[in-house]
């Protein structure tokens, strides 16, 4: 049973596939820091962004960890 608050268990180094594309055209992000605020880097243009956890949950389509994909 998934918890009420968090849909995904994020870890540093995970690749996030976002629902919408970044202006550079890429929709994948790499997590660098995970906590209440999460720091991530765009795979296309290396832009860094810090978002809070609920916003990250909303923007996530799937998570790639190594060869595994979580939806």
């Amino acid at each position: 049973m998934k918890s009420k608050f968090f849909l995904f268990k994020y870890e540093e180094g995970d690749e996030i596939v976002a629902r919408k594309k970044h202006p550079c055209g890429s929709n994948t992000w790499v997590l660098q820091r995970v906590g209440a605020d999460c720091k991530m880097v765009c795979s296309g243009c290396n832009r860094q962004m810090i978002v809070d956890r609920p916003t990250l949950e909303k923007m996530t389509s799937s998570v790639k960890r190594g060869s595994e994909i979580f939806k």
Side-chain angles (χ1 to χ4, degrees), residues 3-63:
S3 69
K4 180 179 176 183
F5 300 106
F6 300 123
L7 300 175
F8 298 102
K9 296 192 184 245
Y10 298 108
E11 293 180 8
E12 293 180 9
D14 287 352
E15 273 192 26
I16 303 296
V17 179
R19 294 181 185 194
K20 294 184 178 179
K21 289 186 177 181
H22 191 247
C24 72
S26 175
N27 68 339
T28 58
W29 297 81
V30 179
L31 287 176
Q32 286 190 335
R33 188 179 68 211
V34 179
D37 290 333
C38 301
K39 182 178 181 181
M40 47 195 208
V41 177
C42 179
S43 298
C45 63
N46 291 330
R47 169 95 176 171
Q48 296 180 359
M49 186 166 71
I50 298 175
V51 295
D52 58 343
R53 188 73 175 247
T55 305
L56 182 61
E57 292 280 345
K58 287 180 186 177
M59 72 180 287
T60 301
S61 173
S62 63
V63 177

